[in-house]
Amino acid sequence: MKTQNEKIPNPKEIEKELGDFLAKRFGGSVKMVSTHEVMPHPDMYDSKPKETAATFTLDFDLKPDDLIAWLDQYIVRQEQAKTVLATKICTHFNRIKRLQDPSQSDGEIVGSIKNNVLMIGPTGVGKTYMIKLIAKKIGVPFVKGDATKFSETGYVGGDVEDLVRDLVREANDNIELAQFGIIYIDEIDKIAGSRNIIGADVSRTGVQRALLKPMEETDVDLKIPHDPISMLQEIERFRKTGERDRRVVNTRNILFIVSGAFGDLQDIIKKRIHAQGLGFGAQLKDSQNVDDILALVRTEDLVEYGFESEFVGRLPVRAMFERLTETDLYDILRNPNNPVVLGKKLDFAAYGIDIKFEDQALRLLAKRANTENTGARGLVSAVESALLLFERRLPSGDIRRFPITADVINSPEASLDRLQDVSQRNVLDSEYNHLVAAEKDYIRNYLLENRKRFSDRYSLTLTPSRMDIIATYYSRFIMDIGRVISRVKSLYDEIKKIELAFYKNHDINIVLEDDAIDFIIEQLANPAIHVDDYHMQINLDFEMGLKLIREKSGRNRFFISRKALLNPEQYIGELIRMDMSGSAIQLPDHSTISPKDSQ
């Protein structure tokens, strides 16, 4: 028992004594953690939220036509939807950019309405695909959720907040970037209130009401209430910083896009039009075109469908998607950027098998997909069904090149037997090479039709020889046209650096002609060859000769053509003879050069 004169130990001294005891008793296997390191400060729950004002500057300069041109590479038809989405999304982000610029901003308008979008269209017409493409192009975080999930869980508000938190994760924990993101909610028609019950449909209209604030503006706390992991992260952050950091996301600039098929909506619209019976409505009384009827949708139709007027009011922009025809499905398969064919090429490439599609085979696949009445989604099932037998059996054999013809689609068993018949290999190789040539021709024509657009977008002049290279790359590698052109442009830039390096190393200015650059790009299609190999070769082939010419004539600028790369000795010899004669001469590539041309 301690006397009155003995000092009562403070918590730190007790911790030290306990720590010493544990060290003696258990060695280093047991340690004591100080409570003041993990326990929150009493004032932490009274701290205010951390400011999340948008100091992040949005880098955005797209115009609607630019975004439409981007979408045209990937999306077949849907012109009205492309126009609406591209225009309103570009306007949304350009307005944000203007507000961030003090020299241009006129200040926030009170009651400003956000361009949230409602997309209406049947399944498989490209709604989700289009939004993903737009988010990828403009470079903002993007998350997708299904409205059915909200209703099934008796949703009160947490699920939408989870989507906001997902935006932060997609933005690599950059809250300010997340506040410019896009949230896409599919199957929104599934949360419409039921028209067959009396009274409020709480499970569905409750979802609509919970969406109202996030779609307009609210703060979402990144810490999830009652989540132990979230609480532990909060404690750990406080232990390191000594202060509570309440992180919130403001949804003012987050764009909400919702979509649905709205199966019965056309009946409501037709009923309204027939009831009016006047003007343009009278002309549509007998119309059976669902797309034309849906294009006449009004707010009152959506309210009758089961949406609350406040919810519809948060979606001022409406985009209508058209049903896809058999021809549209064929055009999708022919599109060099479509993920269905590219994905199937990757499937077979995983077994070392290269495949090429005959045009007639694609038409047959489009016809089969059209019978499923599920839009572009039917293409996937049609292709998978037609090629499953070959995907199973061919990897076990020695087939490395597989031409997919109309016979393969119509008679899979007989086609498989033919593929496995060794005596047919030469015929199959001929078919495959024919499809390769046809694919290259199609890509050349596609590039020619879009020449200016691609040249401007990638800052690369598409000469005929360069279009041939792109077609060859597309046929050899599995990637969309955009990636192929980007790769060629990257190689072009790397090759142009050889000129600068040669000047720095030798004080001689060389200019690689377009045909020389294209020749090197062609060679770089071989993975075993690197651009540095050509850099070294050009040094070996031209350094000494060009230095000699510079010393004798004082010239310091030389144009290197493809013929010069193939025969550098002849090229140097011709330059030396030209220097000696002082007159223009014929070069190996049949062009003419005079002394002043090389100055």
Side-chain angles (χ1 to χ4, degrees):
M1 180 178 293
K2 290 185 178 294
T3 64
Q4 291 182 346
N5 294 330
E6 288 183 293
K7 182 180 178 182
I8 298 175
N10 60 41
K12 286 188 177 182
E13 291 173 337
I14 294 175
E15 288 175 7
K16 185 178 182 305
E17 290 183 15
L18 287 173
D20 292 342
F21 169 76
L22 292 173
K24 291 178 181 179
R25 181 69 176 82
F26 300 102
S29 60
V30 179
K31 292 184 180 180
M32 184 171 180
V33 180
S34 174
T35 56
H36 70 270
E37 290 184 350
V38 297
M39 292 303 291
H41 191 276
D43 295 333
M44 75 175 284
Y45 292 104
D46 297 327
S47 59
K48 295 181 180 180
K50 182 180 179 180
E51 291 293 328
T52 57
T55 56
F56 174 85
T57 301
L58 182 66
D59 183 15
F60 186 88
D61 59 359
L62 275 179
K63 307 298 187 296
D65 282 343
D66 299 331
L67 192 50
I68 291 172
W70 162 263
L71 293 173
D72 284 340
Q73 296 181 60
Y74 302 91
I75 304 290
V76 171
R77 288 186 66 182
Q78 312 304 352
E79 302 307 322
Q80 193 266 356
K82 290 176 190 173
T83 298
V84 171
L85 285 164
T87 302
K88 300 312 296 182
I89 287 176
C90 284
T91 300
H92 172 79
F93 286 106
N94 277 306
R95 280 186 62 176
I96 293 173
K97 183 179 179 181
R98 177 183 173 86
L99 287 171
Q100 288 183 321
D101 187 349
S103 65
Q104 294 186 2
S105 176
D106 303 313
E108 189 74 45
I109 299 175
V110 177
S112 178
I113 298 175
K114 206 169 19 170
N115 289 328
N116 295 324
V117 182
L118 169 63
M119 302 191 302
I120 298 175
T123 183
V125 295
K127 298 188 293 293
T128 301
Y129 187 41
M130 189 180 293
I131 299 304
K132 285 182 177 179
L133 286 171
I134 290 173
K136 176 184 176 182
K137 178 62 176 175
I138 62 183
V140 298
F142 164 83
V143 295
K144 175 182 179 292
D146 292 328
T148 52
K149 173 186 174 182
F150 304 153
S151 58
E152 288 173 1
T153 57
Y155 163 74
V156 176
D159 288 284
V160 169
E161 292 187 353
D162 285 343
L163 289 176
V164 175
R165 297 182 186 103
D166 288 342
L167 273 182
V168 179
R169 281 189 283 271
E170 287 294 319
N172 294 321
D173 210 36
N174 185 335
I175 294 178
E176 292 175 344
L177 175 59
Q179 290 178 148
F180 300 115
I182 295 176
I183 290 179
Y184 172 49
I185 303 175
D186 196 10
E187 297 188 336
I188 199 70
D189 51 324
K190 300 299 192 297
I191 64 168
S194 175
R195 300 186 297 278
N196 299 321
I197 66 172
I198 299 175
D201 188 355
V202 178
S203 64
R204 296 182 178 183
T205 57
V207 178
Q208 296 177 38
R209 287 193 293 271
L211 279 165
L212 294 180
K213 284 189 176 181
M215 289 171 64
E216 191 171 55
E217 179 181 2
T218 192
D219 287 332
V220 175
D221 198 330
L222 290 184
K223 185 184 70 175
I224 306 172
H226 312 300
D227 177 24
I229 295 178
S230 180
M231 295 299 295
L232 286 173
Q233 290 174 340
E234 182 81 7
I235 292 173
E236 177 65 16
R237 190 180 302 112
F238 175 74
R239 187 185 71 80
K240 291 180 178 179
T241 64
E243 61 182 25
R244 186 190 181 201
D245 180 16
R246 184 186 168 199
R247 305 166 74 214
V248 298
V249 179
N250 187 278
T251 65
R252 177 177 65 248
N253 293 320
I254 294 177
L255 192 64
F256 281 78
I257 300 176
V258 302
S259 70
F262 293 86
D264 303 330
L265 185 58
Q266 68 268 20
D267 295 332
I268 295 174
I269 298 172
K270 287 171 68 175
K271 179 181 176 182
R272 170 176 58 79
I273 292 173
H274 290 174
Q276 292 173 345
L278 297 173
F280 183 61
Q283 300 174 17
L284 250 69
K285 278 188 176 183
D286 298 325
S287 174
Q288 299 300 316
N289 191 321
V290 176
D291 294 334
D292 290 341
I293 295 172
L294 288 176
L296 301 174
V297 66
R298 293 182 180 177
T299 297
E300 61 187 281
D301 303 321
L302 294 169
V303 171
E304 184 174 347
Y305 190 84
F307 288 104
E308 296 194 354
S309 58
E310 294 88 349
F311 180 77
V312 178
R314 299 295 198 282
L315 298 164
V317 180
R318 292 163 198 166
M320 302 296 165
F321 283 72
E322 304 167 274
R323 296 176 185 274
L324 298 177
T325 65
E326 182 180 322
T327 301
D328 296 329
L329 296 176
Y330 165 73
D331 290 339
I332 289 173
L333 290 175
R334 287 292 284 165
N335 189 316
N337 299 306
N338 92 85
V340 180
V341 170
L342 291 175
K344 188 46 61 180
K345 286 182 177 181
L346 286 172
D347 288 346
F348 279 89
Y351 299 105
I353 302 172
D354 295 327
I355 66 173
K356 297 296 175 187
F357 285 86
E358 184 185 49
D359 184 71
Q360 188 59 32
L362 296 179
R363 291 187 182 277
L364 289 172
L365 291 170
K367 185 175 183 178
R368 290 188 181 185
N370 191 50
T371 62
E372 297 193 16
N373 201 30
T374 57
R377 285 192 176 91
L379 289 173
V380 179
S381 57
V383 172
E384 291 294 341
S385 176
L387 300 181
L388 183 62
L389 174 65
F390 301 93
E391 191 174 338
R392 173 199 167 191
R393 300 286 294 277
L394 293 185
S396 300
D398 60 351
I399 296 293
R400 291 295 171 262
R401 303 201 298 178
F402 175 25
I404 301 175
T405 62
D407 288 340
V408 169
I409 306 302
N410 287 326
S411 307
E413 293 285 354
S415 296
L416 182 62
D417 291 340
R418 182 167 171 262
L419 283 167
Q420 295 174 333
D421 185 351
V422 178
S423 65
Q424 294 291 315
R425 292 296 166 85
N426 290 336
V427 177
L428 291 170
D429 285 343
S430 177
E431 288 180 358
Y432 182 87
N433 292 331
H434 174 75
L435 295 183
V436 169
E439 184 179 64
K440 288 181 180 179
D441 286 340
Y442 179 78
I443 296 301
R444 288 190 198 96
N445 291 331
Y446 179 82
L447 292 170
L448 193 60
E449 291 174 1
N450 299 277
R451 188 176 190 173
K452 185 179 185 306
R453 186 172 68 186
F454 286 139
S455 294
D456 293 343
R457 179 172 302 134
Y458 297 98
S459 301
L460 181 71
T461 302
L462 292 184
T463 61
S465 64
R466 206 157 285 163
M467 286 189 283
D468 286 342
I469 292 172
I470 293 171
T472 300
Y473 264 72
Y474 180 88
S475 183
R476 184 172 299 183
F477 303 101
I478 303 173
M479 56 181 72
D480 62 40
I481 284 294
R483 287 181 60 199
V484 174
I485 299 177
S486 293
R487 179 169 181 172
V488 171
K489 177 61 165 64
S490 176
L491 292 173
Y492 176 90
D493 293 339
E494 288 297 314
I495 294 168
K496 292 295 288 183
K497 290 178 182 178
I498 294 175
E499 299 174 346
L500 180 60
F502 198 93
Y503 179 78
K504 287 183 177 179
N505 293 332
H506 311 300
D507 196 28
I508 295 175
N509 187 1
I510 64 170
V511 178
L512 293 169
E513 301 274 20
D514 276 346
D515 65 343
I517 293 175
D518 291 348
F519 171 73
I520 297 175
I521 293 175
E522 284 180 20
Q523 306 309 305
L524 293 176
N526 183 349
I529 301 176
H530 193 269
V531 68
D532 290 341
D533 299 330
Y534 270 93
H535 186 187
M536 294 174 60
Q537 192 63 45
I538 287 173
N539 278 315
L540 290 172
D541 290 340
F542 297 98
E543 177 189 355
M544 298 303 296
L546 296 183
K547 281 184 177 179
L548 177 62
I549 296 171
R550 182 186 61 183
E551 291 172 2
K552 297 294 184 181
S553 66
R555 298 188 203 110
N556 200 34
R557 191 165 187 242
F558 303 92
F559 292 86
I560 309 295
S561 66
R562 180 179 185 273
K563 293 288 182 65
L565 288 177
L566 292 173
N567 198 338
E569 291 183 3
Q570 184 178 357
Y571 173 79
I572 295 295
E574 296 290 358
L575 286 178
I576 291 174
R577 287 196 297 274
M578 178 189 67
D579 178 57
M580 293 175 62
S581 65
S583 59
I585 63 165
Q586 198 79 10
L587 290 179
D589 58 357
H590 305 296
S591 62
T592 301
I593 187 168
S594 62
K596 65 179 182 179
D597 293 328
S598 298
Q599 302 256 340

